[in-house]
Amino acid sequence: FWTEIAITPTSEVEEGQVLAVIRDISDRKEIEKMREAMLSNISHEMRTPLTAMLGFLEFVIENPVGETELREYHTIMHREAERLNEMITNFLDMQRLKAKLFENHFKPVDLRSLVEGVVALFAGPAAIHSIVVDVPATLPPVLGDAELLHQAIANLLSNAVKYSPRGSEITLDARMEGERAILSVKDRGIGIPRESLEKVFDMFYRVQITSKHHATGTGLGLALVKEIAETHKGQVWAESTLGQGSTFYVSLPVVGNDQKQTGDQA
Ligand code: ADP
């Protein structure tokens, strides 16, 4: 990009400022490039279920099909339509939340009540897992957006539910490590192969063997968790043993004493 921009430093402009301007432009170009790549990726991914549905529809329109076969085709078409629907919903959620990321109105958030709020959505008489929460009341608040953090925890918990057997235990805990709160969601489920541990955070990535058994899923949930964590100046990572379970971690900076006072007054 150096050749594209001609900036002559004058006595009024410090060298650092010029560099900052160039960096800003190149950042924006980078974002634009990412957006384009993302859009073409999305169109491609959404076309897959649509192509399958069209193929089956054309077949049944043009050929005499028995009742059993028809039922089978309808089931496939229904599944693909659901997948497309889920993709669009997730994608719109993602866009909405992304817009929110720029609002920058972070406040002190109590992780314990946030976790309890998410778990309540998964609890109740129909619950198929036993969910254990261990977040100490003494944990300092994190600086963030409650709705975004809620969404991130909900995505992790819904994966833990989706990829682990009925009746197994899921543990959500949080603890301090240095200046950060580390939240973890641990399941005793199918696990993730080592070579996929980092890739699961990429948009649309799904572990192949998993997607065979769990037809629904879009590969967008963890990408969003990563985005949310990074906007909070935090990180995400996963540990897993195949066949035994996975643990997803999110680290989040907690509110410092000075910020806490400002937040409390707000
Ligand atoms: P989705 O679940 O909709 O496919 P995600 O982005 O949430 O998309 O997850 C990406 C992939 O990572 C999943 O398809 C699955 O293969 C794997 N995965 C995520 N969470 C877990 C988990 N708790 N246990 C095992 N595999 C998981």
Side-chain angles (χ1 to χ4, degrees):
F1 56 81
W2 293 99
T3 50
E4 287 175 34
I5 314 160
I7 296 178
T8 321
T10 66
S11 54
E12 289 137 61
V13 185
E14 301 275 323
E15 206 176 317
Q17 278 179 290
V18 176
L19 254 179
V21 172
I22 295 174
R23 159 124 318 178
D24 187 43
I25 294 172
S26 93
D27 277 356
R28 262 186 285 151
K29 281 195 166 175
E30 211 42 52
I31 290 171
E32 197 44 44
K33 254 204 244 159
M34 265 171 55
R35 245 176 70 88
E36 276 168 26
M38 204 175 87
L39 274 177
S40 83
N41 202 348
I42 285 161
S43 330
H44 175 78
E45 291 290 330
M46 289 187 179
R47 195 158 272 167
T48 314
L50 199 57
T51 308
M53 284 189 279
L54 284 173
F56 278 102
L57 277 174
E58 276 160 24
F59 186 81
V60 293
I61 289 169
E62 284 165 15
N63 299 279
V65 180
E67 210 173 299
T68 324
E69 268 176 309
L70 197 59
R71 176 165 288 273
E72 190 192 323
Y73 296 164
H74 279 160
T75 310
I76 298 173
M77 285 190 270
H78 182 250
R79 191 191 66 204
E80 293 301 303
E82 270 191 335
R83 221 158 77 81
L84 188 60
N85 190 25
E86 197 183 338
M87 261 184 203
I88 293 171
T89 309
N90 279 358
F91 181 67
L92 291 179
D93 276 356
M94 204 159 176
Q95 294 305 309
R96 192 177 60 79
L97 291 176
K98 263 190 180 171
K100 240 191 145 204
L101 296 179
F102 292 104
E103 284 176 16
N104 217 351
H105 52 234
F106 288 0
K107 292 193 181 119
V109 177
D110 178 30
L111 218 45
R112 187 173 142 114
S113 40
L114 204 63
V115 168
E116 281 168 357
V118 176
V119 170
L121 297 175
F122 290 80
I128 51 172
H129 289 79
S130 80
I131 303 176
V132 179
V133 176
D134 182 11
V135 183
T138 50
L139 196 80
V142 298
L143 193 63
D145 178 302
E147 190 196 352
L148 293 176
L149 292 172
H150 178 104
Q151 178 77 45
I153 301 168
N155 286 7
L156 292 176
L157 186 53
S158 104
N159 280 350
V161 166
K162 191 152 93 178
Y163 301 116
S164 68
R166 288 173 160 265
S168 62
E169 194 174 283
I170 295 170
T171 322
L172 283 95
D173 80 45
R175 64 196 147 78
M176 283 301 292
E177 212 173 277
E179 300 287 290
R180 289 165 170 257
I182 313 257
L183 174 80
S184 72
V185 180
K186 178 183 168 100
D187 66 56
R188 279 79 173 168
I190 57 176
I192 299 167
R194 184 181 294 268
E195 65 274 15
S196 299
L197 272 180
E198 286 184 22
K199 296 189 197 141
V200 290
F201 297 102
D202 293 347
M203 280 182 91
F204 297 115
Y205 182 85
R206 305 194 71 210
V207 178
Q208 218 170 11
I209 186 132
T210 317
S211 49
K212 272 193 198 139
H213 298 286
H214 298 266
T216 59
T218 58
L220 287 171
L222 288 177
L224 188 57
V225 173
K226 183 173 182 206
E227 182 129 10
I228 292 174
E230 287 176 354
T231 314
H232 284 81
K233 299 195 168 62
Q235 284 168 324
V236 276
W237 67 98
E239 288 169 2
S240 184
T241 309
L242 262 185
Q244 289 185 25
S246 314
T247 309
F248 282 83
Y249 298 91
V250 182
S251 73
L252 296 163
V254 296
V255 175
N257 278 336
D258 45 336
Q259 292 159 317
K260 193 172 174 181
Q261 272 166 12
T262 329
D264 285 348
Q265 283 159 7

